Amino acid sequence: MTVRMDAIRFGLIAATAWAAASLTGCGSSNGGGMTGGLDKSERYVRRGDTGAAGAAPTASGGLAALRVGGRAFGHEEVMTRLAEASGDVVVDEMVLEAQLERRFEARGWTLTDADVSREERLFTDALSLAGVTTDADEGRRLLAQVRDARGLGPARYRSLLRRTAMLRRLVADGVELTSASVELAWALRYGPRHEARIITVPTAAEAQRAVRRVRGGESFASVASSLSTDASAGRGGLLSPFSLEDATYPYAVRQALRGMSEGDVSSPVSLESGYAIVLLERVIPASPGAPARDSDAVRREARLAQERLLMNQLARELVAEASVDVLDRGLKRGLDGR
């Protein structure tokens, strides 16, 4: 599906600092987390450094990058296969990086180490704001987990921080806080949340059949487990609690939930691709210890949210307008697959 319904909450926290990276091949593509899973770079990129230390010659005389028993795979062969498997991911990263560097050069700007370090701090700050951890050591451990899950070795991680820092600086002048944006930031972090179950299917006929089964007495969870195409199917369609103001969830689903009482099942609603049926489990009240809506903490979150929106938009524009010549055959095959 092309909409995100079941994003892992830890991934959402990481996106607070790195949302723009999802457009550059470092994360899920353009909100497609409804079915979850790791993207191509996360499946194929080897963790850690990729130097040739200890490499031995292959039968053809080239340096080996991988040895399995007595069989050596040459560096060129391994790189070609990697390029075919996930070359589009790496190309997207490099295209955006080159475009951003051109923008910086045109403005006479220089990216500093402080700019890059700030991006890493934003991640750990996001963990604290979300209540995940306030411990520095635990924050570093969680950061290492995210890097490992995303296949972010030293080179790709440094490049990710650089791209995000450049994007943030380029959009800084376009951020304008309004009372509406501050109110939205408060609602997303501290306002009421809805816990729901969902069934997603490709066609209207399948959606109607799912509704008939549920209204005929079958449990919503069992129908979701057997029919739903969403990543939540294994949990009986259960979604993490979310705000109805959260635009990363489909508008049609949020609108359906607004008019429902706990235990209600919706009629099928149309998505960008397919149909959904939702069950409202419960409404979680607003946080009793929430700060004032115009507090510094809420205004800071509102600013970060606007930055993310503008950074995503700029990243799309820069990649779309780039002129790219793909010279490597493996890379070209990987890109042609798109």
Side-chain angles (χ1 to χ4, degrees), residues 18-31 38-45 85-97 149-152 156-157 159-160 163-164 167 312 315-316 319 335 338:
W18 295 342
S22 64
L23 300 173
T24 70
C26 293
S28 302
S29 61
N30 199 16
L38 299 177
D39 71 13
K40 284 184 280 189
S41 70
E42 294 161 357
R43 292 197 299 268
Y44 293 106
V45 174
S86 55
D88 57 333
V89 174
V90 176
V91 168
D92 278 350
E93 294 176 1
M94 292 181 170
V95 167
L96 180 55
E97 188 168 339
R150 290 189 176 279
L152 292 171
R156 291 184 68 221
Y157 177 58
S159 295
L160 168 58
R163 290 194 304 274
T164 314
L167 282 166
N312 283 332
R316 287 192 182 96
V319 171
L335 289 168
R338 301 203 304 191

Side-chain angles (χ1 to χ4, degrees), residues 4-316:
R4 184 177 70 201
M5 285 297 303
D6 191 43
I8 299 172
R9 303 315 295 174
F10 189 73
L12 286 175
I13 294 164
T16 300
W18 295 342
S22 64
L23 300 173
T24 70
C26 293
S28 302
S29 61
N30 199 16
M34 204 163 178
T35 54
L38 299 177
D39 71 13
K40 284 184 280 189
S41 70
E42 294 161 357
R43 292 197 299 268
Y44 293 106
V45 174
R46 179 183 176 90
R47 270 54 167 171
D49 293 317
T50 56
T58 64
S60 61
L63 286 179
L66 175 68
R67 186 180 295 281
V68 182
R71 168 75 155 93
F73 293 86
H75 186 271
E76 182 176 354
E77 180 180 3
V78 171
M79 292 302 105
T80 298
R81 294 192 190 188
L82 285 173
E84 291 179 2
S86 55
D88 57 333
V89 174
V90 176
V91 168
D92 278 350
E93 294 176 1
M94 292 181 170
V95 167
L96 180 55
E97 188 168 339
Q99 291 287 82
L100 287 167
E101 288 171 350
R102 286 182 58 191
R103 285 285 179 98
F104 256 54
E105 291 172 5
R107 299 190 181 196
W109 291 353
T110 302
L111 190 68
T112 67
D113 289 340
D115 294 329
V116 177
S117 297
R118 178 173 181 262
E119 294 304 316
E120 193 168 67
R121 287 198 305 274
L122 282 173
F123 173 80
T124 53
D125 288 350
L127 295 178
S128 178
L129 282 170
V132 176
T133 182
T134 57
D135 180 75
D137 290 337
E138 178 69 3
R140 284 190 288 270
R141 186 184 68 80
L142 292 173
L143 172 58
Q145 287 182 357
V146 171
R147 287 184 56 183
D148 184 65
R150 290 189 176 279
L152 292 171
R156 291 184 68 221
Y157 177 58
R158 176 72 177 178
S159 295
L160 168 58
L161 294 178
R162 284 177 48 81
R163 290 194 304 274
T164 314
M166 285 189 281
L167 282 166
R168 196 178 304 281
R169 186 168 174 188
L170 284 166
V171 305
D173 291 341
V175 176
E176 182 180 355
L177 291 186
T178 64
S179 57
S181 64
V182 173
E183 179 69 24
L184 176 60
W186 187 93
L188 291 174
R189 177 67 70 189
Y190 305 106
R193 290 172 297 152
H194 285 57
E195 186 177 84
R197 293 183 186 268
I198 191 166
I199 299 169
T200 58
V201 290
T203 68
E206 290 172 289
Q208 291 291 353
R209 284 196 291 270
V211 169
R212 285 197 296 270
R213 287 177 59 178
V214 172
R215 292 179 177 168
E218 285 191 64
S219 75
F220 194 97
S222 65
V223 177
S225 296
S226 63
L227 289 184
S228 182
T229 59
D230 188 59
S232 63
R235 299 187 302 278
L238 185 63
L239 302 173
S240 298
F242 63 95
S243 168
L244 296 188
E245 307 304 322
D246 189 346
T248 63
Y249 291 83
Y251 176 79
V253 169
R254 291 182 285 130
Q255 284 298 101
L257 287 169
R258 287 185 196 279
M260 294 169 60
S261 300
E262 293 183 2
D264 285 352
V265 176
S266 75
S267 298
V269 297
S270 178
L271 305 175
E272 289 182 18
S273 177
Y275 294 82
I277 304 99
V278 288
L279 162 70
L280 177 59
E281 290 275 6
R282 61 180 177 136
V283 178
I284 303 171
S287 303
R293 284 169 164 78
D294 61 348
S295 67
D296 289 343
V298 175
R299 293 180 67 82
R300 180 175 181 272
E301 287 203 42
R303 180 176 182 84
L304 288 172
Q306 280 204 35
E307 285 179 347
R308 290 195 299 273
L309 180 65
L310 294 172
M311 289 161 72
N312 283 332
Q313 182 179 346
L314 177 58
R316 287 192 182 96

